[in-house]
Amino acid sequence: IEGIMTRSFGAFMRIQDASGGFSIRQTFGAFFDSIASGGIRAGDSVRITGKISEFSALKQINAADFYSFTRLDRDHAVPAAQLVTLAELATNGEQYESELVTVTGVTVAAVGTFAAGTTYQITDVSDSTRRVTLRIPNAADSQVDGLPIPGGPVTLTCVVGQFSSADPAAGYQLLAVLAGDI
């Protein structure tokens, strides 16, 4: 798989090209170390070789199935996030899996500060069903842990994830990785 790295933080990396996005999960090894040291970063063009599998309906290359990587180029523009609504994600989230999307006018149904490893209910004017959630990944995989939860509508630019082994057409999450994603 080849694409431009959009989010690379902690154990999860996302690449994207004109055809879609893809997730890679690594917790150790040369690729993980290269991400941690800045040897590979957002905007880099990479080639990943491995075996595709699914974890709770999210297609990815997982640690044991990761074979090799090559950084092809540096400093490309990160692919532009597609502007979508929560209703679009709730009814057709598979189309956006592992891609960067932007959703405007989102309200988070919580107060205080964001906590790592926590899922938050969100709404916008298109969808009040709360079928799409905002997920703050584990602290090692996100810069959002501890940031204040906004009191009013915000714009989210996040990666679309999925977490529903019971229903592969549901369970879509917006994954906030960088502090600027919210």
Side-chain angles (χ1 to χ4, degrees):
I1 297 173
E2 290 183 19
I4 305 295
M5 189 72 64
T6 61
R7 293 290 187 268
S8 55
F9 199 85
F12 289 91
M13 301 82 186
R14 275 65 179 216
I15 61 174
Q16 187 172 326
D17 67 9
S19 66
F22 200 79
S23 293
I24 299 111
R25 182 178 180 273
Q26 287 286 285
T27 57
F28 63 91
F31 186 64
F32 177 82
D33 294 343
S34 188
I35 297 289
S37 70
I40 294 181
R41 59 183 185 245
D44 286 354
S45 173
V46 295
R47 178 182 300 127
I48 307 294
T49 304
K51 180 180 171 186
I52 297 172
S53 60
E54 285 192 0
F55 178 78
S56 292
L58 176 68
K59 289 174 209 63
Q60 64 183 21
I61 295 177
N62 209 355
D65 298 324
F66 184 94
Y67 303 146
S68 66
F69 73 97
T70 303
R71 185 185 75 210
L72 303 172
D73 291 314
R74 288 210 93 122
D75 302 324
H76 292 269
V78 171
Q82 295 186 62
L83 183 61
V84 297
T85 65
L86 292 181
E88 289 173 301
L89 292 173
T91 59
N92 197 16
E94 187 77 14
Q95 172 182 331
Y96 303 102
E97 185 177 282
S98 296
E99 289 188 32
L100 281 176
V101 298
T102 295
V103 185
T104 61
V106 175
T107 301
V108 181
V111 295
T113 58
F114 287 114
T118 303
T119 301
Y120 296 90
Q121 296 297 318
I122 55 176
T123 58
D124 71 358
V125 296
S126 75
D127 184 50
S128 60
T129 65
R130 298 184 177 191
R131 292 185 347 195
V132 178
T133 58
L134 174 65
R135 174 79 178 169
I136 308 304
N138 296 330
D141 301 325
S142 174
Q143 299 172 339
V144 181
D145 180 38
L147 294 180
I149 296 172
V154 294
T155 297
L156 303 175
T157 299
C158 299
V159 173
V160 176
Q162 188 175 16
F163 197 84
S164 177
S165 55
D167 183 0
Y172 294 104
Q173 301 174 323
L174 294 173
L175 303 167
V177 176
L178 304 177
D181 286 352
I182 299 174

